[in-house]
Amino acid sequence: MATLNSSNSLSSTFYLTGIPGYEEFHHWISIPFCFFYLVGIMGNCTILHIVRTDPRLHEPMYYFLAMLSLTDMGMSMPTMISLFRVLWSISREIQFNICVVQMFFIHTFSFTESSVLLAMAFDRYVAICHPLRYAIILTPRLIIKIGLAALLRSAFAMIPLLARLAFFPFCHSHILSHSYCLHQDMIRLACADTKFNVIYGLVLISALWGMDSLGIFVSYMYILHSILRIASREGRLKALNTCASHICAVLILYVPMIGLSIVHRFAKHSSPLIHIFMAHIYLLVPPVLNPIIYSVKTKQIRQGVLHLLFPTKISSTMM
């Protein structure tokens, strides 16, 4: 009975992993991670502040951009505390319940970001293919419904997957491969039949990411068809330029996502550093690069950032 109780108590505690083989350099490795998190948080908060305070940006395109910033932070920030607890040698332990909550936020906002990118593709489709009906179709009420639908769809889809983890015994190793919790990482430690979780996870990825990516692809087929019908070269370039930031955001999310999925499915016995590297790229690159790309490529956001940094100089220039 004492052994059983000990096993049950141990099963609620897991151990996170930093950078294997480089433990003595963890404090130094934490410096670039601090920089990336700081850039990501400041960049996305700046986007949110500019969209909220500038009346000129109270348009569907910028509302969707604000949603993208929120999902970027929702996907990356849950990992921040556990990552630095490991790198700063505070503690590698994480309780099962906390691990599940962290997984919920990471995976939910990952799926939500994909849905937001689909909504942004639809926004570009309406703006380019039906410009006269843009304000009529994309009303504030519809934008709120799209945002809520994207979040709720992702959250409810994750509940069956994570709820089953509570019934799995973890009687072997409790060492996770990352400095945060991922579903695909935890189920490999379970001493039970995980077939449902594996199949459901694959179906979920195929259904949600597959539908979103297909919707984005179809939207851009219509957009490209409309752009090619524009007579002037300048007009075509201007229309394409309005899509450039969104295309970059799509690639920034989907390329690391596909790479991480391939590594977990087909390269299970490869170096742990590859898994860790791909996971950090997947969670850190979108929040860091998206604000930079939109600040550089979108004139209104660029002006808002400059006005925030140099209010007196920009105001005198505009006068």
Side-chain angles (χ1 to χ4, degrees):
M1 180 65 74
T3 306
L4 180 61
N5 290 338
S6 175
S7 175
N8 287 337
S9 66
L10 280 172
S11 67
S12 66
T13 303
F14 290 84
Y15 299 90
L16 302 169
T17 301
I19 312 295
Y22 296 89
E23 286 81 5
E24 65 271 25
F25 301 110
H26 274 180
H27 286 81
W28 294 104
I29 293 172
S30 69
I31 295 174
F33 278 109
C34 280
F35 173 75
F36 286 129
Y37 274 106
L38 185 63
V39 170
I41 292 170
M42 288 182 61
N44 285 292
C45 287
T46 300
I47 295 288
L48 290 170
H49 175 74
I50 292 170
V51 172
R52 186 180 67 85
T53 57
D54 192 340
R56 297 173 301 171
L57 302 184
H58 293 174
E59 296 179 5
M61 174 183 173
Y62 303 107
Y63 289 144
F64 286 128
L65 178 57
M67 288 183 197
L68 184 66
S69 292
L70 286 171
T71 55
D72 273 337
M73 289 196 292
M75 189 171 68
S76 64
M77 287 188 68
T79 67
M80 184 170 62
I81 295 175
S82 61
L83 171 65
F84 288 120
R85 277 170 61 87
V86 173
L87 294 182
W88 292 342
S89 304
I90 298 172
S91 175
R92 290 178 55 212
E93 294 184 1
I94 185 167
Q95 296 302 309
F96 174 80
N97 292 338
I98 298 173
C99 200
V100 171
V101 170
Q102 189 181 56
M103 270 189 277
F104 176 79
F105 280 109
I106 292 172
H107 294 301
T108 295
F109 280 105
S110 174
F111 286 127
T112 303
E113 178 150 349
S114 177
S115 301
V116 171
L117 289 173
L118 173 60
M120 296 174 81
F122 177 68
D123 168 78
R124 292 298 84 207
Y125 161 74
V126 176
I128 292 172
C129 301
H130 305 284
L132 299 179
R133 300 175 58 198
Y134 182 69
I136 299 172
I137 295 174
L138 288 171
T139 61
R141 185 168 182 171
L142 178 62
I143 293 169
I144 292 172
K145 286 181 179 179
I146 290 173
L148 288 174
L151 180 61
L152 293 176
R153 182 192 76 158
S154 306
F156 284 126
M158 286 303 303
I159 290 174
L161 202 63
L162 300 183
R164 277 184 59 86
L165 290 176
F167 300 97
F168 288 158
F170 297 93
C171 52
H172 298 312
S173 172
H174 290 188
I175 300 175
L176 299 169
S177 302
H178 304 287
S179 52
Y180 41 82
C181 300
L182 295 175
H183 173 263
Q184 59 267 36
D185 193 20
M186 181 168 278
I187 58 170
R188 70 180 180 82
L189 304 179
C191 305
D193 183 7
T194 60
K195 188 179 294 183
F196 172 83
N197 281 56
V198 172
I199 295 174
Y200 184 87
L202 287 172
V203 170
L204 201 62
I205 290 171
S206 302
L208 299 188
W209 285 344
M211 287 172 56
D212 291 344
S213 57
L214 178 62
I216 292 170
F217 177 77
V218 171
S219 297
Y220 272 102
M221 288 298 99
Y222 281 107
I223 289 170
L224 187 60
H225 182 260
S226 294
I227 288 174
L228 292 176
R229 294 168 60 186
I230 298 174
S232 66
R233 183 174 179 271
E234 291 77 11
R236 290 195 296 270
L237 291 174
K238 185 178 180 181
L240 279 172
N241 192 52
T242 63
C243 302
S245 299
H246 178 255
I247 293 171
C248 290
V250 170
L251 294 175
I252 285 169
L253 177 69
Y254 278 101
V255 171
M257 181 191 297
I258 293 169
L260 182 62
S261 298
I262 291 172
V263 166
H264 271 286
R265 302 294 175 189
F266 305 109
K268 294 180 181 179
H269 303 293
S270 61
S271 170
L273 291 176
I274 296 176
H275 292 256
I276 292 169
F277 181 70
M278 289 300 300
H280 283 306
I281 287 178
Y282 166 59
L283 290 174
L284 279 177
V285 168
V288 171
L289 289 188
N290 280 337
I292 295 173
I293 289 169
Y294 274 93
S295 298
V296 171
K297 296 294 293 181
T298 308
K299 181 181 178 182
Q300 291 83 349
I301 297 295
R302 186 168 64 249
Q303 288 178 342
V305 172
L306 291 174
H307 182 72
L308 199 61
L309 295 174
F310 313 105
T312 308
K313 186 180 293 186
I314 298 297
S315 298
S316 61
T317 304
M318 291 177 68
M319 291 175 63

